[in-house]
Amino acid sequence: MKKEQLMELLNSMSLKEKVFQLVQIPGQYFLSGIADTGTKTDNSLTGEELALIGSTLGIYGLETTAEIQKRHMEEHPHHIPLLFMHDVVHGLRTAFPIPLALGAAFSPDLVKMCTSAAADESAASGLHVTFAPMLDLVRDPRWGRVMESFGEDPFLNAMLGRASVEGFRGGNGETPEKWRVASCIKHFAAYGAAEAGRDYTGADMSSRILRECYLPAYIEGVRAGADMVMSSFNAIDGVPATGNEKLLKETLRDAWNFDGVLISDWDSVGELVKRGVCSDLREAARLALNCGIDIDMCSFAYARHLEALVREGEVAKEQVDRAAFRVLELKNRLGLFEDPFRGATSTVERKKILSTANRALARKAVCECSVLLKNAGEQPLLPLASESKVAFTGPYVESKELHSAWAVSTDPEDTVSIREAAEELALSQGRSFIFAEGCTMTCREDLGPKSEERMVKYYREDTIPMQSVTTDVNMLKEAVAAAENADTVVVCLGEHRLMSGEGASRGELTLPKQQLELLKSLHSANKNIVSVIFTGRPLDLREVCELSRSVLLVWMPGTEGGNGILDLLIGAAEPGGRLSMSFPYCVGQVPVYYNHFNTGRPKPKNTKVPYYVSAYIDIPNSPLFPFGYGLSYTSFSVSGIKLSAEKTALQDSGSFGEIKAFASVKNTGLRRGQTLIQLYVSRPFAEALAPVKELKAFRKLALDPGEEKMIEFTIGNEELGHMGSDGKMHVVKGEYRIAIGLDSETEEWISLKIV
Ligand code: NOJ
């Protein structure tokens, strides 16, 4: 439809019809006429109101969406199609590794391919918008939603944010435009800085940290063309984001020129009342719309009050027009006025869902995202020697729940478990494997009070692990016997998938108790232990590392988890991941992240008396595993770091002549392998503190044993600049330092003077 036609349509609509384009309700309403929105507001809808609704969330599958769409368009006075939105966080039916895992692959291409494949499946199943990517920077693993983020680094977060937006749009030039979904970057802003890691609290920080660390990824998402933005639950500087004029109007709309659809989070308009910044829901509706929130997700504030607010002159009619027009524009961009089903048929849906290509991509992604944390000894246990007799133990051996709590459309039945993959391999390669779980995944205590109620409400009952006993003696005995009879024990441990995700903050970052008991018992029986760790967040892995010769981190790997992990264990693929979030030594260090500020009292190296310096008296300052860390099945060295010039002049334009940085990288091991070379910058001293180092570039490199190659990075304004209060990158005069290495703990600095 042309813009003028769209305008004509808007002008022909009544105020009520426009208001209801701004109302979003759960899909359940279309199935049963009512839904539990978790709010106390009267949320019943008349038949007339239901027919006017603009968008819905949480339902998918072509049969259902097409039937609802057809009925809705018949009933709507102007036959305006509904928008179907859904949380496609790491795949629809084919679950890819969680976003935090994708962050560890340091690969925009991989992110683009996975989001593109997810868009393909989603569009075919009748969806139009995904509530992704989540571009909240994260530093606190107690927060359950770190699994949805790309990690702790602003540069990586922004880069992968862009890749996701492009991927959902249907990138690679291969996906036809109609198999795209609109993306919605969230949660604006700084939801990832939840105080003490507790979900739904405030995020208190300086405007400088907000600008330099938290905002860059959202800006990049907007620049990449995200169609929507979602406001966050948290408050910033004491003002809840959904009613924060400075954030939504001044920053997002005015400074960044975002003219797409701005949606609230679930009932976050209603929460303006609960949090005491609005006296009632009517006031909340007024504030949210005035701040630029176009769609009210599930609070009913707009449905109940917006019409009256306009009629009584408290909200300008033009504001409702503007918001409704944005929603119509989005529907138009998605082609819904021409074809509300976007060419999807049940044949297309069947072909696209869980396609061979998507499964192959998911399997490859598992390998690229997994991080080898430890592989000790003269003869490391990984990859597993083909002749070794292996006992597979631990609750994740049998589990088909290898996706996160957010993979709401994934069916565990489609997932390949470790046991299934291993059995297939044993048959095809004649390997000798034994299996014994040893303990259950988790117990009531791990999942917190009320877990049973919560889970029965939200999940399929048969997938809930609700044993109340911690250790089953017979299971344990069987696993120990298997370990005694094996050369190597692969123990598959981890958080249950419901232990991370929304509302799943944790105060302890260890594995469930009975799993640690299992590990100890196995260790008494056999010292050749490979631990495979499943998790949605960084964990305290001290005990696991002490009791294991090798530790492979596989996150929540998704549908092809079993196959991908077996590829890694036998060395058919190499663990390509490097941590995108620091793994703490213990929970007391949290938040611990590499790009922190310096201190006037640094801890001297190797000091035994850490008093009156910035240090703990009982634990180290450094995390157990730092950002950027990860091993290969071979080893690498970086040396000979040099610059094309040690000095360069800053022009009046604020730019300087580009500099090249070089380093020599060598494969010092016995196998071909790939590594990630990382370039860090430390800014000169200025009035305000700068982070001790910041990642500014990275490159992957594959080398044969003994091979050595020179790599080159270009250093320009992007690399040395930092974001000023004007939202632009600034380079200052002074001494910058550059380091190139294999993780964020590299301290091989060379100096670059900007004069
Ligand atoms: C609440 C979550 O915070 C948000 O991320 C999600 O997209 C919405 N619910 C819709 O499910």
Side-chain angles (χ1 to χ4, degrees), residues 145-448:
R145 301 193 77 170
V146 300
M147 51 132 307
E148 278 177 77
S149 162
F150 293 122
E152 74 188 32
D153 185 64
F155 169 71
L156 184 65
N157 214 14
M159 184 184 268
L160 300 186
R162 166 175 281 278
S164 315
V165 170
E166 291 176 353
F168 283 127
R169 189 160 58 217
N172 301 336
E174 288 158 17
T175 315
E177 197 56 5
K178 70 180 172 195
W179 303 120
R180 63 166 291 210
V181 289
S183 53
C184 174
I185 56 179
K186 65 187 187 184
H187 305 81
F188 193 65
Y191 182 38
E195 198 172 274
R198 199 155 41 82
D199 217 348
Y200 317 125
T201 57
D204 219 0
M205 67 181 76
S206 69
S207 54
R208 214 164 64 84
I209 293 284
L210 180 68
R211 188 175 73 231
E212 289 189 9
C213 302
Y214 286 82
L215 296 188
Y218 307 115
I219 299 184
E220 196 62 18
V222 168
R223 281 191 191 142
D227 298 271
M228 289 182 54
V229 171
M230 185 188 292
S231 68
S232 54
F233 285 126
N234 59 283
I236 294 185
D237 208 8
V239 184
T242 302
N244 195 320
E245 192 172 338
K246 192 162 174 231
L247 188 71
L248 302 184
K249 256 187 144 163
E250 285 177 29
T251 306
L252 181 66
R253 292 285 193 208
D254 298 344
W256 301 356
N257 295 321
F258 176 70
D259 200 27
V261 174
L262 179 55
I263 187 170
S264 75
D265 202 343
W266 187 292
D267 190 35
S268 66
V269 179
E271 289 186 10
L272 294 172
V273 181
K274 289 186 200 150
R275 305 198 74 180
V277 295
C278 290
S279 51
D280 54 27
L281 204 59
R282 177 186 161 108
E283 181 51 24
R286 195 188 62 77
L287 179 63
L289 192 79
N290 279 341
C291 286
I293 298 278
D294 299 313
I295 299 182
D296 167 15
M297 186 196 291
C298 300
S299 91
F300 286 80
Y302 285 9
R304 296 282 167 261
H305 301 290
L306 216 44
E307 242 188 295
L309 281 164
V310 175
R311 292 201 198 288
E312 287 156 31
E314 286 184 54
V315 163
K317 175 184 159 294
E318 291 68 34
Q319 265 179 291
V320 172
D321 284 356
R322 181 75 222 123
F325 194 65
R326 285 198 191 102
V327 175
L328 294 180
E329 273 182 319
L330 176 57
K331 292 182 177 183
N332 196 32
R333 274 205 300 283
L334 286 158
L336 295 184
F337 289 108
E338 280 72 38
D339 176 6
F341 310 100
R342 302 171 81 217
T345 61
S346 50
T347 319
V348 172
E349 188 185 27
R350 262 197 311 277
K351 200 172 126 218
K352 288 187 179 286
I353 299 278
L354 291 162
S355 66
T356 314
N358 287 1
R359 278 189 174 275
L361 175 62
R363 180 172 181 164
K364 173 174 155 316
V366 174
C367 303
E368 288 198 31
C369 297
S370 295
V371 185
L372 184 63
L373 295 175
K374 180 176 178 187
N375 203 18
E378 285 280 291
Q379 287 192 314
L381 293 177
L382 290 180
L384 297 169
S386 54
E387 64 287 356
S388 76
K389 191 172 167 193
V390 181
F392 279 91
T393 69
Y396 265 107
V397 166
E398 303 278 352
S399 177
K400 286 168 86 77
E401 298 260 300
L402 305 184
H403 49 279
S404 81
W406 267 124
V408 280
S409 340
T410 299
D411 186 341
E413 284 313 309
D414 301 325
T415 298
V416 182
S417 70
I418 293 202
R419 179 166 188 159
E420 285 165 344
E423 276 177 344
E424 201 183 310
L425 202 80
L427 272 182
S428 62
Q429 295 193 356
R431 291 194 180 229
S432 168
F433 295 150
I434 1 169
F435 304 92
E437 278 179 286
C439 71
T440 57
M441 177 90 69
T442 187
C443 63
R444 281 193 171 83
E445 292 73 46
D446 296 319
L447 294 164

Side-chain angles (χ1 to χ4, degrees), residues 65 96 133 151 265 331 390 432 451 463 509 581 613 621 631 702 724 740:
T65 53
F96 298 98
D265 202 343
K331 292 182 177 183
V390 181
S432 168
S451 52
T463 66
L509 295 176
M581 194 175 174
V613 293
N621 280 7
L631 303 171
I740 300 176

Side-chain angles (χ1 to χ4, degrees), residues 690-708:
V692 289
K693 59 182 75 153
E694 295 167 279
L695 180 74
K696 291 295 179 180
F698 55 82
R699 183 145 325 138
K700 289 186 174 176
L701 189 64
L703 295 175
D704 287 324
E707 192 184 352
E708 187 162 10

Side-chain angles (χ1 to χ4, degrees), residues 468-520:
S468 56
V469 286
T470 46
T471 305
D472 177 323
V473 179
N474 290 331
M475 278 177 100
L476 185 63
K477 272 192 189 153
E478 199 194 335
V480 169
E484 278 163 355
N485 286 320
D487 301 315
T488 306
V489 184
V490 173
V491 53
C492 305
L493 308 171
E495 284 193 323
H496 183 266
R497 70 189 190 92
L498 299 182
M499 290 169 81
S500 54
E502 186 177 344
S505 300
R506 292 186 62 197
E508 302 282 357
L509 295 176
T510 44
L511 290 178
K513 279 194 199 65
Q514 73 276 20
Q515 295 194 25
L516 282 174
E517 289 309 317
L518 170 68
L519 182 60
K520 281 182 207 154

Side-chain angles (χ1 to χ4, degrees), residues 494-650:
E495 284 193 323
H496 183 266
R497 70 189 190 92
L498 299 182
M499 290 169 81
S500 54
E502 186 177 344
S505 300
R506 292 186 62 197
E508 302 282 357
L509 295 176
T510 44
L511 290 178
K513 279 194 199 65
Q514 73 276 20
Q515 295 194 25
L516 282 174
E517 289 309 317
L518 170 68
L519 182 60
K520 281 182 207 154
S521 307
L522 294 171
H523 185 257
S524 319
N526 189 333
K527 302 283 179 274
N528 289 337
I529 297 215
V530 174
S531 286
V532 177
I533 304 296
F534 293 74
T535 181
R537 54 156 60 81
L539 293 171
D540 167 356
L541 291 177
R542 275 174 300 163
E543 248 187 310
V544 172
C545 290
E546 272 159 33
L547 298 171
S548 317
R549 277 186 56 193
S550 302
V551 180
L552 179 66
L553 173 73
V554 297
W555 311 102
M556 298 310 296
T559 309
E560 282 291 319
N563 283 330
I565 292 165
L566 261 293
D567 288 344
L568 292 170
L569 291 176
I570 64 163
E574 220 197 346
R578 302 292 182 269
L579 296 178
S580 56
M581 194 175 174
S582 307
F583 268 48
Y585 177 85
C586 67
V587 76
Q589 268 186 341
V590 165
V592 58
Y593 48 93
Y594 86 93
N595 42 2
H596 54 83
F597 287 144
N598 62 18
T599 161
R601 294 187 175 205
K603 186 179 166 206
K605 275 208 173 95
N606 306 325
T607 180
K608 290 221 169 62
V609 200
Y611 291 100
Y612 306 112
V613 293
S614 180
Y616 299 98
I617 58 169
D618 53 351
I619 56 169
N621 280 7
S622 311
L624 191 63
F625 297 110
F627 174 86
Y629 173 86
L631 303 171
S632 309
Y633 285 155
T634 181
S635 51
F636 291 90
S637 68
V638 176
S639 60
I641 304 163
K642 55 180 194 269
L643 297 174
S644 55
E646 287 168 9
K647 207 194 264 182
T648 181
L650 192 63

